[in-house]
Amino acid sequence: MENLHLIVGLGNPGPEYVRTRHNVGFRLLEALAGRWRAAWKLEKKFHASIAAAERNGRDVILGRPQTFMNASGEAVGALVKFYRVPLARLLVAVDDADLPLGEIRLRARGSSGGHHGLESIEQHVGSREFARLRIGIGRTADGRREITDHVLTPFTAAESAVVEQVLTAAAAQAECWLENGIEMAMNRFNGAAAGPGQEKKSE
């Protein structure tokens, strides 16, 4: 499949993690699968759940690593190698505590920013040259750097309403990346996707 693209969302497997902040990458992939009517299946050889879709002439594999966050690269590396996906056609969606809740930011490359899931992927694919869509989850009110407890807690009811808007905008950004390239996707969607006084971005 010469035109194959791979979109991966990071998170932790298991029902206890489903609504946590760390799992917004998974939730974005679930939103895309719903929009594209793609069915998930567990592929043990990839250590991932995957869903295949076709979007405007482009074949897409959606992937959710089932390795836990810190070993995400095992699954992503296996998918990249098996499907022979150039890193220019790889997009990774992750939570980002350094972005305020309600903001999204797509970049063509970059550092992990201390995100262990991205660190694992960089190690397994041997490069930082892949797109990453960061979904803001904010920090605790005291702004402390140690945020393990924070990322593993669920969103509040008020935050959840914002997250739903953010995921809609992030899904539209991923589709724009797929169909029109990263520059247009960055220009159209980077920034505040939801929050007080912020209208939901159009698709």
Side-chain angles (χ1 to χ4, degrees):
M1 290 186 283
E2 295 181 359
N3 207 19
L4 182 69
H5 289 67
L6 174 62
I7 303 177
V8 175
L10 303 192
N12 288 311
E16 66 271 38
Y17 298 109
V18 169
R19 310 306 288 182
T20 61
R21 301 166 196 275
H22 225 14
N23 273 41
V24 291
F26 270 16
R27 291 177 64 182
L28 175 58
L29 270 286
E30 289 156 9
L32 288 171
R35 289 162 76 109
W36 301 345
R37 295 178 174 83
W40 292 102
K41 61 179 178 178
L42 179 63
E43 288 284 2
K44 292 184 179 180
K45 65 182 177 182
F46 300 133
H47 310 289
S49 292
I50 67 170
E54 189 274 336
R55 178 78 182 179
N56 291 343
R58 292 171 175 81
D59 292 308
V60 190
I61 297 294
L62 303 176
R64 296 178 302 178
Q66 300 296 296
T67 55
F68 287 94
M69 182 68 79
N70 293 3
S72 297
E74 294 177 18
V76 178
L79 287 165
V80 166
K81 182 177 180 180
F82 181 84
Y83 288 107
R84 300 179 182 177
V85 180
L87 295 186
R89 296 206 295 266
L90 168 65
L91 173 64
V92 178
V94 298
D95 62 294
D96 190 337
D98 289 324
L99 276 184
L101 179 67
E103 291 194 13
I104 55 177
R105 181 178 299 160
L106 176 64
R107 290 286 184 267
R109 62 187 63 81
S111 72
S112 68
H115 193 289
H116 297 314
L118 286 176
E119 289 173 354
S120 177
I121 293 171
E122 291 169 2
Q123 178 182 358
H124 280 82
V125 304
S127 175
R128 293 178 171 179
E129 297 292 313
F130 58 88
R132 61 278 317 270
L133 198 174
R134 297 179 181 269
I135 302 170
I137 61 169
R139 288 191 175 272
T140 56
D142 58 16
R144 65 181 184 273
R145 295 302 300 177
E146 176 48 53
I147 58 169
T148 300
D149 291 341
H150 176 62
V151 301
L152 294 179
T153 57
F155 291 104
T156 66
E159 290 171 333
S160 293
V162 175
V163 171
E164 291 303 322
Q165 293 186 53
V166 169
L167 292 175
T168 298
Q173 185 170 41
E175 290 175 344
C176 187
W177 167 82
L178 181 65
E179 296 169 18
N180 302 298
I182 194 162
E183 292 296 332
M184 183 179 292
M186 290 192 299
N187 292 337
R188 285 187 60 187
F189 293 94
N190 276 0
Q198 177 69 32
E199 294 182 359
K200 189 184 296 186
K201 299 206 177 193
S202 65
E203 299 175 25

